[in-house]
Amino acid sequence: MLINVPETVVADALRGMAAAHPDLAVDVEHRIVVRRDAPVADKVGLVSGGGSGHEPLHGGFVGPGMLDAACAGEVFTSPVPDQMARAAAAVDSGRGVLFVVKNYTGDVLNFDMAAELAEDEGVQVAKVLVDDDVAVDGSTHTTGRRGTGATLFVEKIAGAAAEEGAPLERVEAIARQVNESSRSFGVALDAPTTPAKGGPTFDLPPGELELGVGIHGEPGRERRGMMTSGEIADFAVDAVLEDLRPDGPVLALVNGMGATPLLELYGFAAEVHRVLGERGVAVARTLVGDYVTSLDMAGCSVTLCQADEELLRLWDAPVRTPGLRWGM
Amino acid sequence: MLINVPETVVADALRGMAAAHPDLAVDVEHRIVVRRDAPVADKVGLVSGGGSGHEPLHGGFVGPGMLDAACAGEVFTSPVPDQMARAAAAVDSGRGVLFVVKNYTGDVLNFDMAAELAEDEGVQVAKVLVDDDVAVDGSTHTTGRRGTGATLFVEKIAGAAAEEGAPLERVEAIARQVNESSRSFGVALDAPTTPAKGGPTFDLPPGELELGVGIHGEPGRERRGMMTSGEIADFAVDAVLEDLRPDGPVLALVNGMGATPLLELYGFAAEVHRVLGERGVAVARTLVGDYVTSLDMAGCSVTLCQADEELLRLWDAPVRTPGLRWGM
């Protein structure tokens, strides 16, 4: 691993973000990344966060058109309520703050407590839970579906609405619509290595796949011997389409988990498009790359979001963050 | 690996690029990625290419403000002259074409032959050789220094000059200036896995580093037992600064080789900034991410480019490609 010591991995990364991105204000001590121009007058604030190890999610999505602040926890561990409340206070312009919360037990509890803390300080808070992963219903870390790739769609699209000046209820409603319109499925070809453990977080024999893996290496639906990229696309897309039956075009995120070469990920994107074509689903936009990762896990996930014209317009709206950037 | 069969990896990836990026015209048969609006009237054309496995380089750098076309070879294998000549013909507006060539024996020979073919067809061609890697002087694949991370700086900055309407001699001179002002050094923590071989391309015992590795896993200067991120930054930056003695601010590329988590890469970026600060080198811009990769190799590289005000202005100029995008 490219680290100093496991204990400083998150702080070291935040120092690097501060060095590389002068547009961001990085509070290394409290592990919060904030838009430098926050609070933006008359704008609803968007705050997210979660365990580290999923970069660029969430800190890499802070900037105009997306998040106002992100809180970084230890690797694969929720940040604490004080961070989230502090972030809310830093970005609130008086029009309220939306918390974007991935559905993991620790995150849900901590964001709930943070909302109470923030409201005690006079910040109006709404929350949206992201629970898009169709692989399992409940797991060691989760009640209900896990929150994975759809987080990017929620943060981008709700972020665009907030940037346009939409009120808190509207930003919350759009975030909820995006989550309800999105489903994901992930596949591991290898396990991630956490700094603390120094080795793989689970045992996946060479030549086997974990179908339905979570972004912390949580178990999925089943293990199989190696499949082709095309077979994996069939399996993943069909799993998503069992839950999401789009009657219009979709946004597609073809996401790398960390160690899958972009060359292979583009080949997988071709197969995802092939399957969607065969199932009669039109693709309006496709994003290919490592966006919601699991350290150095080899593997990929597919997230589809049924997007009406308004969601598509907000998706295309300008954004300027380290991880996503266009139109400005 | 996330592939169908090794034989179709490059074609599959190009199909994925075509599906994901409607702004690009992808000729899967001839393995050429071209700006859809090429040839752009009154603009010098920029053409690059090389072996696949380094994505987003080069195909992901095609678009307004950067390359007009990129030719994809097999994994770690030069494309052929016919591809390059075909690309030159597709992008030439009559103002000539610049070939950006990484210094590997196969690429150099093939781009030379392509230049002759293109000139026979009436296309004026200039060439710039990128040879920034200070690790070794000559190797199995190279005479002189290898071409690595500086390719991104050359393609972005010369691309911006071409987009502004600079004539061929000027675009070539800027490309040459960028290359001469840039030096790189790479480190492997693990070997890449090629589709054809299905296993690592070289043996690096766990816990050892290859200092000075090339982007095809070529040997570097020496092997050592594991070092901290800070120690690696000291070694890599000092190796670069032995060759490049900047008397002004630099552009810094802190590049992931493929499988290094972005969390770790940002921590490494912090250490690179620390070392540069200690050596009295000011950093004008920092780019952190997987840009010039070696499939799923774990590791990183540092590229520094001494940038005067004009280079900095061209670096900041708008660009819209799958791999780099800002300002438009």
Side-chain angles (χ1 to χ4, degrees):
Chain A
M1 283 175 294
L2 184 63
I3 66 172
N4 288 317
V5 291
E7 292 72 22
T8 64
V9 164
V10 175
D12 289 348
L14 290 169
R15 288 192 298 120
M17 289 202 72
H21 305 299
D23 285 353
L24 301 178
V26 181
D27 179 342
V28 176
E29 183 191 349
H30 296 104
R31 302 186 174 194
I32 308 171
V33 178
V34 184
R35 270 176 75 158
R36 189 165 289 286
D37 58 353
V40 180
D42 279 329
K43 196 187 94 62
V44 166
L46 242 73
V47 173
S48 191
S52 294
H54 308 301
E55 290 67 25
L57 186 83
H58 299 269
F61 297 150
V62 175
M66 214 160 166
L67 295 177
D68 292 84
C71 307
E74 275 301 312
V75 170
F76 294 173
T77 303
S78 174
V80 297
D82 174 63
Q83 288 172 277
M84 301 151 181
R86 191 179 287 266
V91 307
D92 183 38
S93 71
R95 296 197 66 195
V97 171
L98 179 69
F99 284 167
V100 179
V101 187
K102 299 199 302 301
N103 189 31
Y104 299 98
T105 307
D107 294 273
V108 171
L109 282 172
N110 288 323
F111 271 106
D112 277 350
M113 288 176 60
E116 287 177 25
L117 292 171
E119 281 167 351
D120 287 348
E121 301 295 319
V123 180
Q124 189 188 356
V125 175
K127 286 173 293 183
V128 62
L129 198 66
V130 182
D131 62 344
D132 53 308
D133 184 346
V134 301
V136 295
D137 187 23
S139 72
T140 44
H141 297 70
T142 323
T143 305
R145 290 188 303 257
R146 300 175 296 214
T148 60
T151 317
L152 181 149
F153 288 142
V154 171
E155 293 178 358
K156 170 66 184 79
I157 293 172
E163 199 73 35
E164 290 181 357
L168 183 57
E169 310 76 58
R170 174 73 186 136
V171 176
E172 179 189 358
I174 285 180
R176 210 172 297 282
Q177 180 192 347
V178 173
N179 179 57
E180 287 168 3
S181 306
S182 298
R183 293 292 187 276
S184 297
F185 192 87
V187 177
L189 284 75
D190 203 349
T193 305
T194 59
K197 188 164 182 197
T201 57
F202 64 94
D203 286 321
L204 187 61
E208 286 194 24
L209 296 169
E210 181 79 37
L211 293 163
V213 74
I215 57 173
H216 312 90
E218 309 97 304
R221 289 187 181 174
E222 57 174 298
R223 284 192 180 179
R224 289 203 189 170
M226 194 51 63
M227 295 157 69
T228 66
S229 178
E231 289 165 349
I232 294 171
D234 278 307
F235 196 98
V237 171
D238 283 340
V240 167
L241 294 180
E242 269 172 38
D243 251 55
L244 182 78
R245 299 172 187 283
D247 56 10
V250 296
L251 304 172
L253 169 62
V254 180
N255 177 62
M257 292 292 200
T260 290
L262 194 54
L263 181 74
E264 298 180 14
L265 201 61
Y266 268 108
F268 181 63
E271 298 296 340
V272 168
H273 267 254
R274 174 190 56 75
V275 181
L276 288 169
E278 289 169 4
R279 305 294 181 269
V281 178
V283 185
R285 304 286 185 276
T286 307
L287 189 65
V288 182
D290 287 9
Y291 292 101
V292 181
T293 62
S294 181
L295 292 168
D296 63 345
M297 185 156 84
C300 57
S301 63
V302 177
T303 304
L304 302 179
C305 171
Q306 177 169 354
D308 58 24
E309 282 189 22
E310 177 64 359
L311 294 199
L312 214 53
R313 186 185 70 76
L314 292 167
W315 174 256
D316 288 339
V319 61
R320 192 175 74 237
T321 73
L324 271 193
R325 184 163 171 168
W326 56 71
M328 53 163 77
Chain B
M1 285 175 294
L2 184 62
I3 65 171
N4 287 317
V5 292
E7 293 72 21
T8 64
V9 164
V10 175
D12 289 349
L14 290 169
R15 288 193 297 119
M17 288 203 73
H21 305 299
D23 285 354
L24 301 178
V26 181
D27 180 341
V28 177
E29 184 191 347
H30 297 104
R31 303 186 173 193
I32 308 171
V33 178
V34 185
R35 270 178 75 158
R36 188 165 290 287
D37 57 353
V40 180
D42 278 330
K43 195 186 95 62
V44 166
L46 242 74
V47 173
S48 191
S52 294
H54 308 302
E55 290 69 25
L57 184 85
H58 298 270
F61 296 151
V62 175
M66 212 160 167
L67 296 178
D68 293 84
C71 307
E74 275 300 312
V75 170
F76 293 172
T77 304
S78 173
V80 296
D82 175 64
Q83 287 171 279
M84 301 152 180
R86 192 179 287 266
V91 307
D92 182 38
S93 71
R95 295 196 66 194
V97 171
L98 179 69
F99 285 166
V100 179
V101 186
K102 298 199 301 301
N103 189 31
Y104 298 98
T105 307
D107 294 273
V108 172
L109 282 173
N110 288 323
F111 271 106
D112 278 350
M113 288 177 61
E116 288 178 25
L117 291 173
E119 281 168 352
D120 288 347
E121 301 294 320
V123 179
Q124 191 188 354
V125 176
K127 285 173 293 181
V128 63
L129 198 67
V130 182
D131 62 345
D132 53 309
D133 184 347
V134 300
V136 295
D137 187 25
S139 73
T140 45
H141 297 69
T142 323
T143 306
R145 290 190 302 258
R146 301 175 296 213
T148 60
T151 318
L152 181 149
F153 289 142
V154 171
E155 294 178 357
K156 170 65 185 78
I157 293 172
E163 200 72 36
E164 291 182 355
L168 182 57
E169 310 74 60
R170 174 75 185 135
V171 176
E172 179 189 357
I174 286 180
R176 210 172 297 282
Q177 181 192 345
V178 173
N179 179 58
E180 287 167 4
S181 306
S182 299
R183 293 292 186 275
S184 298
F185 191 86
V187 177
L189 284 75
D190 202 349
T193 305
T194 57
K197 187 164 183 198
T201 56
F202 65 94
D203 286 321
L204 188 61
E208 286 195 23
L209 296 169
E210 180 80 37
L211 293 164
V213 74
I215 57 173
H216 311 92
E218 308 97 304
R221 289 188 183 176
E222 57 174 297
R223 285 194 178 177
R224 288 202 189 172
M226 193 52 62
M227 295 158 69
T228 66
S229 177
E231 289 165 348
I232 294 172
D234 278 309
F235 195 98
V237 171
D238 283 339
V240 167
L241 293 179
E242 269 172 40
D243 251 54
L244 182 78
R245 299 174 186 283
D247 56 9
V250 297
L251 304 172
L253 169 62
V254 179
N255 179 61
M257 292 292 199
T260 290
L262 194 54
L263 181 74
E264 297 179 15
L265 200 61
Y266 269 108
F268 181 63
E271 298 297 339
V272 168
H273 268 254
R274 174 190 57 74
V275 182
L276 288 169
E278 289 169 5
R279 305 293 180 269
V281 178
V283 185
R285 304 284 185 276
T286 307
L287 188 65
V288 182
D290 288 8
Y291 292 101
V292 180
T293 62
S294 182
L295 291 169
D296 63 345
M297 185 155 86
C300 56
S301 62
V302 178
T303 304
L304 302 180
C305 171
Q306 177 169 355
D308 59 23
E309 282 189 22
E310 176 64 359
L311 293 199
L312 214 53
R313 188 186 69 76
L314 292 167
W315 174 257
D316 289 338
V319 60
R320 192 174 74 237
T321 73
L324 272 193
R325 186 165 170 167
W326 56 71
M328 52 163 78

